[in-house]
Amino acid sequence: TTVVHIIHKHIENCTGCFACKKNGGDCYLPDDMKGLLEQYVSSDVILYNFPLYSYGMPAPLKNFVDRLMPLSAMRMVREEGGKYGHQFQYDVENLRYVMLCGCGYPNSKNNFEAAVRQFQLKFPKNSTILTVPESPMFNIPQAAPITAPRLALLEQAGAAYARDGVIPPELLSEVCSPMLPDEIYAQFANGERH
């Protein structure tokens, strides 16, 4: 397992020149992306773990995803469902993707939809999505009676994914559900309850 903190990497903004799509995947920008792309294509699973920012990925992670452009060529191909995409320059057909995203709101509804949809469009095959509302509670030691059972569920989900490559739907639903009723969580978050 390799953990990469994108925030600590030097990743220039993509200029959209498409040189990487025309020259076998090489980008002219002098930064850390060449090494990151090498790690990326040699991986089995890519886990994107991030907090929800403005209903999407934080800017440094979105910049990294934008810079994955060298993975594909200019040639367009028709994909499943009639969507068009670029043909891959690298063999990433069997690469699996996981999105683990937390937010400080009391539920998943009307919060994660944009991030989830972007992830589904970017990684339409072999992807698993976990959304965790009320995630700031994991940083509060006094919340352990509520968060410990959820962490146990997350561990079960991780074990199932490692073993089978999927998380059972009922377990996934439980992991992605709120830990507290909306109103109670909002009161705690607002400092109205202790």
Side-chain angles (χ1 to χ4, degrees):
T1 301
T2 301
V3 176
V4 177
H5 295 280
I6 293 298
I7 192 76
H8 300 303
K9 295 295 180 181
H10 173 223
I11 302 174
E12 295 285 335
N13 293 324
C14 180
T15 64
C17 71
F18 289 164
C20 62
K21 292 187 175 301
K22 299 172 187 171
N23 64 17
D26 286 332
C27 179
Y28 76 91
L29 294 171
D31 60 12
D32 294 334
M33 273 308 290
K34 183 173 178 65
L36 290 171
L37 280 170
E38 289 169 2
Q39 286 182 310
Y40 194 94
V41 298
S42 66
S43 297
D44 297 314
V45 177
I46 303 292
L47 168 66
Y48 289 86
N49 180 14
F50 60 94
L52 193 69
Y53 270 46
S54 299
Y55 304 103
M57 296 178 190
L61 183 58
K62 175 63 170 70
N63 188 39
F64 169 79
V65 171
D66 289 347
R67 290 291 305 284
L68 295 176
M69 197 171 287
L71 297 177
S72 60
M74 284 299 291
R75 179 175 168 70
M76 295 180 92
V77 293
R78 189 179 181 112
E79 299 173 349
E80 291 177 29
K83 176 182 171 263
Y84 278 85
H86 292 281
Q87 182 177 344
F88 283 106
Q89 297 190 95
Y90 293 88
D91 182 13
V92 292
E93 186 66 27
N94 294 318
L95 192 55
R96 295 181 296 155
Y97 306 93
V98 178
M99 174 180 138
L100 176 57
C101 181
C103 82
Y105 292 117
N107 60 53
S108 296
K109 194 168 36 171
N110 297 320
N111 291 308
F112 291 106
E113 289 83 357
V116 165
R117 188 64 185 129
Q118 183 178 37
F119 197 82
Q120 290 169 332
L121 287 168
K122 182 68 181 168
F123 310 109
K125 297 180 183 178
N126 306 326
S127 63
T128 301
I129 297 172
L130 295 99
T131 57
V132 183
E134 306 169 345
S135 59
M137 288 180 53
F138 293 108
N139 295 323
I140 302 169
Q142 298 87 340
I146 296 167
T147 58
R150 187 56 50 98
L151 286 173
L153 287 175
L154 283 162
E155 288 178 7
Q156 288 177 27
Y161 188 83
R163 183 183 60 246
D164 306 323
V166 295
I167 300 170
E170 59 280 355
L171 179 56
L172 187 61
S173 177
E174 218 175 332
V175 165
C176 298
S177 68
M179 293 177 272
L180 292 172
D182 293 0
E183 299 79 20
I184 302 293
Y185 173 79
Q187 288 173 356
F188 278 120
N190 292 335
E192 297 165 7
R193 285 182 90 141
H194 301 287

